[in-house]
Amino acid sequence: MKTEVVVIGGGATGAGVFRDLALRGLEVVLLEKADLTSGTSGRNHGLLHSGARYAVYDPDSARECFQENALIKKIAAPCLEETGGFFLSLPEDPPEYADTLLRACHSLGIPAKEVAVADVLHQETKLSPRVKRAIWVPDASVDPFRLIRANIEAGENLGGRVFLHRQVVEIFTARGKVTGVKAIDPRTGEEFKIQCHFLINAAGVWAGEIARLAGINLGILFSKGSLVVFNQRLVNAVINRCRPPANGDIFVPHGPTLILGTTSQTVAQVDDPFPEIEEVDLLLGEGEKMIPQTKETRVIRAYAGIRPLLGAREAEREAGPETPNASEADGRRLSRDFLLVNHGAQDQLRGFFSICGGKLTTYRLMAEKTVDAVMDEIGRKESCRTAEIPLPFPWEYSFHALEKKLLKIAQIPSANVPQEIVCECELVSKKEILQEVGKLGIFSLKELQERTRAGMGPCQGGFCAPRLTALLLETGKITAAEALTILKNFLEERWKGIRPVLWGPQLREEQLIQALYTEFFNLDRF
Ligand SMILES: Cc1cc2nc3c(=O)[nH]c(=O)nc-3n(C[C@H](O)[C@H](O)[C@H](O)COP(=O)(O)OP(=O)(O)OC[C@H]3O[C@@H](n4cnc5c(N)ncnc54)[C@H](O)[C@@H]3O)c2cc1C
């Protein structure tokens, strides 16, 4: 196969680069070693940053976030919710930080404003009455799964091609220039070769691995962040703690759920991150200081994501050998900005670019800068249009649509409701599932879940996974033998998220679900 550009990585950055390249008329192929969003893009808070969180310590990132926040609200409105956000000071927080934050935001043009605590407590009744000061910022929440798929669909509509389960294992070069890549299907070992003129490394925390295939060292360290998900929103705005960044200092309402994050721990291993029970305890202990009711609220899942720490090696060098874990101590203070490397200029390998770091919020800007660099190299002038053209959301999709969905269900004759609603927690209908099944290239429950939110509610797919599998089977998309593997793969992944939060009602429900699968379906015998 031949193409002009190969993009490695099906996360936010790769998807953004893919769409931008296609919009500027380049022939592009995206290779992803697993499913879309299987890296950090599927393991974050889903916060569309206003920039305020970085205003004090990382003003460049803050400025970029603020600009992109406004643009993403324009081009991707159906997959976000304009929740707004508050920074709240508790009595134990540094009293001067609220003023420092306000000054930093204003100097960057972020419209932060102090609001009366009584008004905030009236609006958000579950907040702690210990709040001393409150600052409003234009934070929002975003569905990363839909955002990324919309970028992919936009690129595909323009002729771009996406291949999932294609892991790049070799980079071909000749006379100081990239000429192609070899990829394998990790499930079968089958090999694929693609010739290209340009190669974009958007492999997130694996970007260093990709660069090493070309003999280049990117020198990135990693930090793991763990998060927990509650089964109800409790608040309708993003809630940040008004103090220097620390553990458990942010709540993001996400659809019908609430996400609490995060921890920051330097790690060497980037594959398959999982939260430790101690991290869950730490998050819950901090979180209840802002929202006391979280103590009694059901936690339905925990998960972890890895971020690359840019500048970590420099920080370690500056701290000296007597501070061996400088990057751990300062992980939150290191830049959350992005790194774009033209390896032609830096490493004498023309046609090869690496883009990593940054945030989900800044994915579009990162893509724009990357494609600008490619266009410069080619000597073509098409300018970026991703900030103006709205992303496609193919069916009547809206994030946090439970209320609307309830109204629709009220119109279905009650006898038909059980046949119509496949996922009761998220009120996902059979029609929505079938619409998405028709478009799937790869048949996995994770893919269906991320496209429709089916299985993302309190039972975490425990009850609807067999129904989703049956629908895939009924439509002839999978065979009976495949159905069992698909269901088991989903349950194994699901278990990883549920294991660290098994107590109270979640434990009771899990025992019921386990009995259902083992005693009724006999799934453990297959
Ligand atoms: C705990 C945590 C919370 C966060 N919260 C937020 C937030 O609320 N808001 C925000 O804006 N940002 C947030 N971020 C940052 C944000 O999630 C990331 O910056 C962003 O998702 C990175 O996207 P990416 O595409 O660069 O990387 P990834 O999403 O990791 O994508 C890289 C892809 O490359 C693929 N890949 C790797 N190697 C190969 C190979 N050899 N061949 C083919 N494919 C390969 C991987 O499978 C993966 O899918 C958070 C980060 C963390 C860790």
Side-chain angles (χ1 to χ4, degrees), residues 1 3 5-11 14 18 28-36 152 161-170 180-184 192-194 196 199-200 202-203 210:
M1 186 189 288
T3 185
V5 191
V6 166
V7 178
I8 305 173
F18 176 72
V28 52
V29 165
L30 182 144
L31 302 176
E32 162 55 51
K33 71 174 173 177
D35 290 321
L36 295 173
I152 292 289
R161 285 170 293 170
V162 174
F163 296 93
L164 303 182
H165 299 282
R166 298 288 184 272
Q167 177 173 7
V168 172
V169 290
E170 203 174 330
V181 293
K182 178 166 101 182
I184 54 159
F192 307 85
K193 287 187 181 151
I194 305 184
C196 62
L199 178 63
I200 315 287
I210 298 292

Side-chain angles (χ1 to χ4, degrees), residues 7-16 30-49 53-54 65 140 142 144 148 163 165-170 182-184 186 201-207 209-210 213 223-227 250 252 254 259 261-264 271 303-308 336 355-363 366:
V7 178
I8 305 173
T13 312
L30 182 144
L31 302 176
E32 162 55 51
K33 71 174 173 177
D35 290 321
L36 295 173
T37 65
S38 49
T40 311
S41 298
R43 296 165 169 273
N44 53 63
H45 300 91
L47 170 69
L48 189 68
H49 284 278
R53 271 180 84 75
Y54 302 114
C65 281
V142 59
I148 289 161
F163 296 93
H165 299 282
R166 298 288 184 272
Q167 177 173 7
V168 172
V169 290
E170 203 174 330
K182 178 166 101 182
I184 54 159
N201 171 12
V205 288
W206 297 271
E209 253 175 47
I210 298 292
L213 295 177
S223 153
K224 181 180 77 165
S226 293
L227 308 96
I250 178 165
V252 182
H254 214 262
I259 297 174
T262 173
T263 52
S264 178
D271 289 319
Y303 59 100
I306 308 279
R307 47 175 86 83
R336 300 280 165 96
I355 173 77
C356 86
K359 283 160 287 295
L360 176 67
T361 307
T362 54
Y363 86 93
M366 293 163 69

Side-chain angles (χ1 to χ4, degrees), residues 46-54 61-77 79-85 87 109-111 136-142 147 238 240 359-365 387:
L47 170 69
L48 189 68
H49 284 278
S50 60
R53 271 180 84 75
Y54 302 114
S61 289
R63 194 176 295 107
E64 286 163 5
C65 281
F66 176 55
Q67 284 162 4
E68 289 301 304
N69 172 296
L71 288 176
I72 305 291
K73 283 176 179 170
K74 257 187 8 206
I75 61 165
C79 76
L80 56 88
E81 187 187 353
E82 296 218 33
T83 55
F87 278 76
I110 301 170
W136 179 90
V137 295
D139 282 342
S141 74
V142 59
L147 178 66
V238 174
N240 301 271
K359 283 160 287 295
L360 176 67
T361 307
T362 54
Y363 86 93
R364 194 212 60 82
L365 177 69

Side-chain angles (χ1 to χ4, degrees), residues 266-429:
T266 307
V267 288
Q269 164 69 19
V270 294
D271 289 319
D272 220 4
F274 64 91
E276 306 288 346
I277 290 173
E278 298 73 40
E279 289 176 285
V280 171
D281 288 345
L282 180 64
L283 286 170
L284 295 177
E286 283 301 315
E288 72 178 60
K289 293 179 186 161
M290 288 197 286
I291 308 181
Q293 201 176 315
T294 51
K295 216 173 8 181
E296 290 102 46
T297 304
R298 185 163 155 191
V299 178
I300 53 176
R301 186 173 167 240
Y303 59 100
I306 308 279
R307 47 175 86 83
L309 292 178
L310 310 178
R313 289 201 193 286
E314 289 73 10
E316 270 187 349
R317 269 201 297 274
E318 275 168 29
E322 67 282 4
T323 319
N325 276 334
S327 54
E328 187 164 346
D330 292 336
R332 287 192 179 82
R333 302 283 178 89
L334 293 169
S335 176
R336 300 280 165 96
D337 208 349
F338 60 86
L339 175 76
L340 169 62
V341 185
N342 178 345
H343 295 290
Q346 192 161 308
D347 305 293
Q348 287 73 54
L349 183 58
R350 279 177 297 126
F352 184 32
F353 297 83
S354 288
I355 173 77
C356 86
K359 283 160 287 295
L360 176 67
T361 307
T362 54
Y363 86 93
R364 194 212 60 82
L365 177 69
M366 293 163 69
E368 176 177 342
K369 298 283 179 215
T370 308
V371 181
D372 282 351
V374 173
M375 298 309 271
D376 275 355
E377 193 96 346
I378 305 177
R380 274 165 55 178
K381 293 247 177 305
E382 284 85 353
S383 51
C384 177
R385 291 185 295 146
T386 54
E388 295 132 37
I389 303 177
L391 283 161
F393 291 95
W395 42 280
E396 195 204 328
Y397 170 82
S398 113
F399 187 39
H400 183 51
L402 270 195
E403 212 174 313
K404 266 199 240 155
K405 285 185 166 184
L406 263 178
L407 291 174
K408 271 198 187 157
I409 289 167
Q411 291 156 14
I412 303 174
S414 59
N416 293 337
V417 170
Q419 288 100 59
E420 289 300 325
I421 302 302
V422 180
C423 164
E424 286 98 351
C425 302
E426 295 272 346
L427 298 178
V428 184
S429 70

